[in-house]
Amino acid sequence: IMEGENFRDLDFITTVKTKVTNYAQIFAAVSEYSGTRIAQETYGGDGDGDRKYEWAKLAVEFKKDLEEAFLFGVPAEITVNGRLHWTTGGLDYFLNDSESNVLDLADAALTKEDLDEFCESLFTYTDVEGLSNMDERWMFAGGRYLTQISQFADGAINIDSGRNKKYGVAVSDYISAHGVLHIVRHPLLTGAHAGTAFLVHPDDMWYRYMEGRDVKFVKGAQLQSEDLVFDYIMAQVGFELHHPIVHGKIINCGASA
């Protein structure tokens, strides 16, 4: 989104409109309801009616858009008609240089040997300033990876009910000779991203926002002369990563035979 852009120019209802920036990117999601719609029993008979449902749906779509940028965004600064567009770089971008821990499976399925050898590289650095638990990483992957790991892991997988309860998601621990992977199914790593998995140290990743521009939800932003209700969520935020060498990614994982 351009600096100074009018949110009314964005698509309405639950579509998240992102013109994507390390750099801090402007994200916004908007919804609009006519006075008639609000007055109808279906939408507004109980006060806010379905508008509450739309708020919840809007928030989910906004967070999804934010997360996708933090995973796959590419940093850029572009001037269009005198206004700046920024996009924030995500995890995939920062794990792309020659020193990064990247395993390219070239459309083959993941094997235990692949994963163990990759862990050897991933857990090489055990003393990094400001980071603890260097013998642990979190692996975010889609169903393809979870299926293949379950087929070869046998006794190397533990289900940690304590972590499940703490984080609200299913967490499985893969115990390698080099360190422990806390494996979590990520809903965005499907479809075109099904072959990608990220193995990260969460204490080395940061959510940054411009001063006064953290996420805010504004209800009733319409003008008095307008026969409608206008709500929006916006933020100007970016992704920060300090030590790419302690993270890794696996790409181009093929489906099981």
Side-chain angles (χ1 to χ4, degrees):
I1 297 173
M2 293 184 294
E3 58 177 352
E5 182 161 345
N6 189 340
F7 291 158
R8 296 179 182 280
D9 295 334
L10 303 182
D11 292 341
F12 291 131
I13 312 302
T14 57
T15 301
V16 178
K17 194 73 172 184
T18 306
K19 301 171 187 175
V20 233
T21 169
N22 303 10
Y23 307 126
Q25 173 178 334
I26 301 174
F27 297 83
V30 301
S31 59
E32 181 184 80
Y33 310 85
S34 69
T36 301
R37 179 181 175 184
I38 292 294
Q40 290 175 341
E41 182 177 355
T42 303
Y43 300 106
D46 65 347
D48 287 324
D50 271 9
R51 193 171 165 212
K52 291 179 179 178
Y53 167 77
E54 294 293 345
W55 288 339
K57 190 174 179 181
L58 197 66
V60 169
E61 292 300 319
F62 179 81
K63 289 189 288 185
K64 179 181 176 182
D65 198 56
L66 206 67
E67 182 126 356
E68 187 153 3
F70 279 20
L71 288 176
F72 296 106
V74 177
E77 180 178 285
I78 306 168
T79 302
V80 179
N81 296 326
R83 290 185 175 183
L84 288 175
H85 290 258
W86 295 284
T87 59
T88 193
L91 189 58
D92 185 64
Y93 173 83
F94 287 109
L95 301 182
N96 253 343
D97 62 35
S98 59
E99 296 183 356
S100 296
N101 295 306
V102 180
L103 172 60
D104 188 344
L105 293 172
D107 294 325
L110 180 69
T111 67
K112 188 176 188 304
E113 291 73 19
D114 290 330
L115 188 56
D116 286 344
E117 289 178 9
F118 188 63
C119 283
E120 181 179 0
S121 173
L122 183 67
F123 289 104
T124 296
Y125 294 91
T126 59
D127 185 15
V128 178
E129 185 178 358
L131 299 181
S132 58
N133 300 320
M134 291 300 292
D135 58 347
E136 301 178 30
R137 295 292 189 278
W138 288 77
M139 179 176 181
F140 295 97
R144 180 177 299 174
Y145 280 92
L146 272 63
T147 296
Q148 294 176 10
I149 291 173
S150 70
Q151 290 171 349
F152 64 67
D154 298 324
I157 283 283
N158 290 330
I159 305 300
D160 191 323
S161 59
R163 285 196 178 88
N164 293 353
K165 184 176 181 180
K166 179 178 180 179
Y167 296 105
V169 295
V171 180
S172 300
D173 290 344
Y174 177 80
I175 304 171
S176 77
H178 311 286
V180 178
L181 297 179
H182 307 305
I183 304 173
V184 178
R185 184 186 187 112
H186 197 296
L188 293 185
L189 297 177
T190 59
H193 300 309
T196 300
F198 295 103
L199 300 86
V200 303
H201 194 306
D203 292 346
D204 188 56
M205 300 186 298
W206 302 85
Y207 166 94
R208 299 297 191 192
Y209 57 88
M210 299 285 283
E211 184 175 357
R213 305 280 281 175
D214 198 1
V215 177
K216 59 182 177 181
F217 188 6
V218 179
K219 304 174 184 178
Q222 70 280 353
L223 300 176
Q224 289 186 345
S225 59
E226 295 178 309
D227 182 28
L228 53 83
V229 174
F230 183 83
D231 307 320
Y232 68 87
I233 306 174
M234 71 81 59
Q236 187 167 9
V237 300
F239 175 77
E240 183 176 335
L241 189 101
H242 292 178
H243 305 289
I245 199 65
V246 306
H247 310 276
K249 66 178 178 180
I250 307 175
I251 59 175
N252 298 321
C253 178
S256 300

